[in-house]
Amino acid sequence: MKKPAMNTLTSAATLVILAAALAACGQSDDGKTPGQQLDSAVASTQQQAAELKSDAKEGAAEARETMGEVGDKLAAGGREVKDAAKDAAITASVSAGLVKDADLSALRIDVDTRDGVVSLSGTAPSDAAKDRATDIARAVDGVVSVDNRLTVQPKS
């Protein structure tokens, strides 16, 4: 007979635990029902989603602005490369023209070009040769001006 008493005791304890669990389901610490808690969680989630959407829009706007700035810098860099290539071509053409002149030595004349302005430095054997160096440089396509700093040193 002790077994049925034990079963009755176990059944009673199980019922008490189930009753306590059911009572806890209908209440929360803040006194809201499960439906109210769900509504509150949905509202909170919607608020967070709205904030994330706003943050994403701000981030996208900042990214577009940054990409525009990068594009501007790339375009400026491309212009600089193009200008440097033009200057290098002018320098090469002027040097080639100087080599063709019997009185002028391209090895004794330094040619630099910046933004189409050609600078000549070094030595020339005469004033006439110095003037020809200026004329040779001016004749090259793309030359804006010539800064002739050649010094005259007659051949010994």
Side-chain angles (χ1 to χ4, degrees), residues 124-146:
S126 66
D127 286 327
K130 179 179 176 179
D131 292 340
R132 276 197 315 280
T134 300
D135 293 340
I136 290 169
R138 278 192 189 132
V140 172
D141 189 39
V143 173
V144 175
S145 66
V146 178

Side-chain angles (χ1 to χ4, degrees), residues 24-47:
C25 285
Q27 296 179 1
S28 69
D29 293 339
D30 57 4
K32 293 182 180 176
T33 67
Q36 290 171 329
Q37 289 176 349
L38 180 60
D39 290 344
S40 178
V42 168
S44 175
T45 302
Q46 287 174 338
Q47 176 64 31

Side-chain angles (χ1 to χ4, degrees), residues 4-75:
M6 188 65 120
N7 284 340
T8 306
L9 184 60
T10 303
S11 296
T14 303
L15 287 174
V16 169
I17 291 172
L18 285 174
L22 286 173
C25 285
Q27 296 179 1
S28 69
D29 293 339
D30 57 4
K32 293 182 180 176
T33 67
Q36 290 171 329
Q37 289 176 349
L38 180 60
D39 290 344
S40 178
V42 168
S44 175
T45 302
Q46 287 174 338
Q47 176 64 31
Q48 289 174 355
E51 289 172 7
L52 287 173
K53 183 178 178 181
S54 175
D55 290 347
K57 283 183 179 179
E58 288 176 17
E62 288 176 11
R64 280 191 298 276
E65 182 178 332
T66 300
M67 290 304 295
E69 291 171 3
V70 167
D72 292 345
K73 288 180 181 179
L74 285 174

